[in-house]
Amino acid sequence: MTDWRPIDVLLVEDDQGDILLTREAFDLNKVRNRLNVVNDGEQAMAYLRQEGAYAGAPRPDLILLDLNLPRMNGLEVLSEVKADAALRTIPVVILTTSEAEEDILHSYRLHANAYVAKPVDFEQFIRVVRQIDDFFVTVVKLPAAGPRP
């Protein structure tokens, strides 16, 4: 594709094993997108608002958000992102172990762009990350990178 460009992905995840799996999935899939990681909801909001240690952080083109986070859970992060005019256009994919119907419904009510249950099997996890990447890089047209509104 002639207009393909690498995208910045923000992974909001506190489980070091899942972070490692996601990094490995990006590497194994030869994903050239840039993966940035924060470990809790408060860090996610500071990153997105370029505050403190995250001043100058790149605006993500896609957020992969776990629900079970310390300090501020994923649903709270999702709610703040979608309520903020400067952030709401960033697609948010919930990537979590929860398959609870309540979590799924709540995520979509808060305008999550997709809800994906993390597979426990490594090969399936790799496939899921590849499918997310394929969809958001190849299929979906994302807004051009640029300054924050």
Side-chain angles (χ1 to χ4, degrees), residues 62 93 113-114 129-142:
L62 174 64
V93 174
N113 296 85
V129 171
R130 179 81 237 164
Q131 289 169 339
I132 292 169
D133 176 65
D134 284 345
F135 184 71
F136 280 96
V137 174
T138 308
V139 178
V140 172
K141 185 73 174 158
L142 295 171

Side-chain angles (χ1 to χ4, degrees), residues 37-64:
V37 180
V38 295
N39 301 118
D40 66 48
E42 288 182 6
Q43 287 178 0
M45 294 314 302
Y47 183 99
L48 292 166
R49 293 179 175 142
Q50 294 181 311
E51 297 170 344
Y54 302 105
R59 176 185 172 88
D61 299 293
L62 174 64
I63 300 169
L64 301 178

Side-chain angles (χ1 to χ4, degrees), residues 28-84:
L28 287 172
N29 289 327
K30 311 252 185 298
V31 175
R32 290 175 288 195
N33 300 326
R34 294 172 292 270
L35 182 66
N36 300 290
V37 180
V38 295
N39 301 118
D40 66 48
E42 288 182 6
Q43 287 178 0
M45 294 314 302
Y47 183 99
L48 292 166
R49 293 179 175 142
Q50 294 181 311
E51 297 170 344
Y54 302 105
R59 176 185 172 88
D61 299 293
L62 174 64
I63 300 169
L64 301 178
L65 179 63
D66 187 23
L67 292 183
N68 304 309
L69 298 169
R71 297 174 50 187
M72 175 186 236
N73 72 42
L75 291 172
E76 292 169 317
V77 172
L78 178 61
S79 180
E80 282 200 31
V81 167
K82 294 304 182 176
D84 186 323

Side-chain angles (χ1 to χ4, degrees), residues 111-131:
H111 306 288
N113 296 85
Y115 191 103
V116 179
K118 290 179 195 170
V120 290
D121 174 79
F122 177 73
E123 294 301 320
Q124 288 179 334
F125 189 89
I126 298 296
R127 272 194 297 281
V128 164
V129 171
R130 179 81 237 164
Q131 289 169 339

